[in-house]
Amino acid sequence: MTDYDPFEHQAAYIKYVDCRHTAHVTLCQHVPPSEPRIARVNHDFYYVYSTEEFRPYEHGRTGTKQDHERSIKRAFNNLKKLINCNYETPECVRFFTLTYAENMQDNARISDDWRQFVKRCRKRYGKFRYLYVKEKQARGAWHLHGFFFFDSAAPYMDNAEVRAMWGQGFVTITAVKNDVNNLGNYLCAYLTDDEKTHKKGARLMNYEAGVRLYNCSRDIRRPTQRVISFEEYTRFVEMDEVEELSSRDSVVRLQTGRDQHFRYKLYRTDVH
């Protein structure tokens, strides 16, 4: 950190999220509240601490298209972090798409079909951690994008053999590039960008709000986070194995009318 940056030097709050191969840093000039602002009372009501009011939940409200997109983007940001936490090298990952031959629109059926598939794969390929993401096609049918994380180089998985273990339709196994410096971002871009139009994020609206976007195995590794000082942050960015990948600023207008300025930075932490 050679240049003086007024915003970063004046940051009152710096959150560091460790994803093993990457780190996400959030800088803010105001310290967020440490106590919850609301509390759930029951299915119908929640309590607001600041006004000491009980307010009803708005059941059935679907929200706007912008609300939907923000919710899906948050889910994919979390997904990127989980992916980066769970591989040693790209060779340890298997990434594939599972489809249904029929026009399968029953969301409740997916978890059982996936569970049976994982049981067969573990019997054949050994132990692994997993993630899967649900996406709806234009016709309304569900299909799945799955990730297997092995602790060493992943075994060869024959497409026809995996298709037989899935038993519901087609299977496509996609190679993971060995030189990817941010695997989570690379794979999530694959899930959201339109390959035909090359438009980034064009498929975000295929993912439904209000349903769980992804599921994972119980042994999945999760990112850790903590608040750090500016001195700790400075030492971190000056480490030889750390490389900045991206930085973006965001301004949020609070209900009080005050603007809240955030900076989000992404670092690779395994540069050799």
Side-chain angles (χ1 to χ4, degrees), residues 62-155:
T62 58
T64 65
K65 181 179 179 180
Q66 289 76 15
D67 292 335
H68 180 178
E69 188 170 347
R70 279 194 295 268
S71 174
I72 299 300
K73 284 183 177 180
R74 281 196 300 268
F76 269 104
N77 283 334
N78 291 332
L79 186 61
K80 292 174 187 178
K81 295 172 186 176
L82 281 174
I83 291 172
N84 283 335
C85 274
N86 281 278
Y87 76 95
E88 299 303 328
T89 64
E91 294 90 343
C92 299
V93 183
R94 285 292 177 263
F95 171 51
F96 46 86
T97 299
L98 309 174
T99 64
Y100 285 89
E102 60 185 290
N103 190 5
M104 207 291 286
Q105 300 187 25
D106 183 6
N107 178 47
R109 174 181 159 183
I110 293 174
S111 59
D112 188 57
D113 289 345
W114 175 264
R115 208 164 27 242
Q116 295 300 320
F117 173 62
V118 166
K119 184 177 180 180
R120 298 182 191 112
C121 287
R122 281 181 169 159
K123 187 175 180 180
R124 175 67 177 86
Y125 302 116
K127 186 178 179 181
F128 53 80
R129 297 177 300 282
Y130 69 75
L131 276 170
Y132 72 89
V133 185
K134 300 180 286 189
E135 181 182 8
K136 257 192 175 180
Q137 296 173 316
R139 61 181 179 140
W142 289 102
H143 65 277
L144 310 179
H145 303 285
F147 307 84
F148 287 172
F149 302 102
F150 295 85
D151 287 332
S152 56

Side-chain angles (χ1 to χ4, degrees), residues 123-255:
K123 187 175 180 180
R124 175 67 177 86
Y125 302 116
K127 186 178 179 181
F128 53 80
R129 297 177 300 282
Y130 69 75
L131 276 170
Y132 72 89
V133 185
K134 300 180 286 189
E135 181 182 8
K136 257 192 175 180
Q137 296 173 316
R139 61 181 179 140
W142 289 102
H143 65 277
L144 310 179
H145 303 285
F147 307 84
F148 287 172
F149 302 102
F150 295 85
D151 287 332
S152 56
Y156 172 73
M157 297 173 67
D158 178 74
N159 199 85
E161 185 177 56
V162 176
R163 180 180 177 182
M165 286 187 282
W166 170 234
Q168 306 291 341
F170 292 102
V171 172
T172 303
I173 301 175
T174 305
V176 175
K177 295 181 180 180
N178 295 336
D179 60 348
V180 174
N181 64 11
N182 182 357
L183 188 62
N185 191 68
Y186 168 78
L187 291 177
C188 285
Y190 183 92
L191 298 181
T192 58
D193 295 349
D194 190 315
E195 292 183 340
K196 294 181 180 179
T197 63
H198 303 290
K199 186 177 179 181
K200 292 184 177 296
R203 287 164 51 206
L204 277 172
M205 300 307 289
N206 291 357
Y207 297 91
E208 282 205 354
V211 300
R212 188 173 179 84
L213 178 70
Y214 61 85
N215 282 289
C216 52
S217 55
R218 292 182 180 179
D219 59 349
I220 205 78
R221 296 169 181 157
R222 297 185 181 275
T224 59
Q225 66 179 50
R226 59 191 176 95
V227 177
I228 62 174
S229 66
F230 179 76
E231 290 72 22
E232 290 177 289
Y233 170 60
T234 302
R235 289 196 296 270
F236 164 72
V237 299
E238 291 177 348
M239 295 172 67
D240 292 339
E241 61 269 28
V242 171
E243 175 188 2
E244 182 178 320
L245 297 178
S246 66
S247 177
R248 68 179 180 88
D249 287 4
S250 176
V251 178
V252 178
R253 175 63 56 88
L254 304 178
Q255 291 182 343

